Amino acid sequence: MKNLKKSVVLGIGLLLSQTAYPQIGGIEDSVADISDTIRAIFPIILGVIFLIGFLFNAGHFFGENADLKKGITRVLVFVLIAGAVVGIFTYLIGIVV
C-alpha cells in the first residue's frame, strides 16, 4: 500500500512538472519581446534626454550672465552621468536571460 501511494504521488508530480515547461517558454518569449522593444526605443529616449539637458544648460553659454566654465562643467557632468546610464543599460542588455 505504501508503494502504491508513493507511485501515485510520483506520477502526479511528473505530470505537474511536464505542464510547467511550456509556461516557462512563454515567459522567456515575453521577456525577449520586451527587451527588443526597449532596445529599439532607448536611443530615442537618450537623445531626448541629451536635448533637454543641453537646453537646461544653454543659459550658461548665452546671454548677459554667460559663464562658459560653469556651462561646460555642467554639460560634462551631464554627459558623464548619461554615459554611466548607457553603460549600465548596455551591460544589463548584454546579459543573456
Side-chain angles (χ1 to χ4, degrees):
M1 196 62 162
K2 264 187 170 179
N3 288 337
L4 179 63
K5 203 180 231 185
K6 286 182 183 180
S7 297
V8 169
V9 170
L10 181 63
I12 291 173
L14 287 173
L15 287 174
L16 289 176
S17 67
Q18 289 297 326
T19 59
Y21 288 119
Q23 293 174 353
I24 292 172
I27 291 172
E28 288 175 353
D29 293 340
S30 298
V31 170
D33 290 342
I34 292 170
S35 174
D36 292 340
T37 303
I38 291 173
R39 285 180 190 163
I41 294 174
F42 185 72
I44 297 168
I45 293 173
L46 189 64
V48 169
I49 290 172
F50 270 117
L51 182 63
I52 290 171
F54 178 75
L55 291 175
F56 276 117
N57 291 314
H60 296 291
F61 295 107
F62 309 109
E64 293 179 12
N65 298 327
D67 186 4
L68 191 61
K69 182 180 177 185
K70 190 174 185 181
I72 290 173
T73 304
R74 286 193 174 186
V75 168
L76 286 177
V77 168
F78 178 76
V79 168
L80 288 174
I81 291 171
V85 169
V86 170
I88 292 169
F89 178 78
T90 304
Y91 174 75
L92 290 176
I93 288 295
I95 295 174
V96 178
V97 178

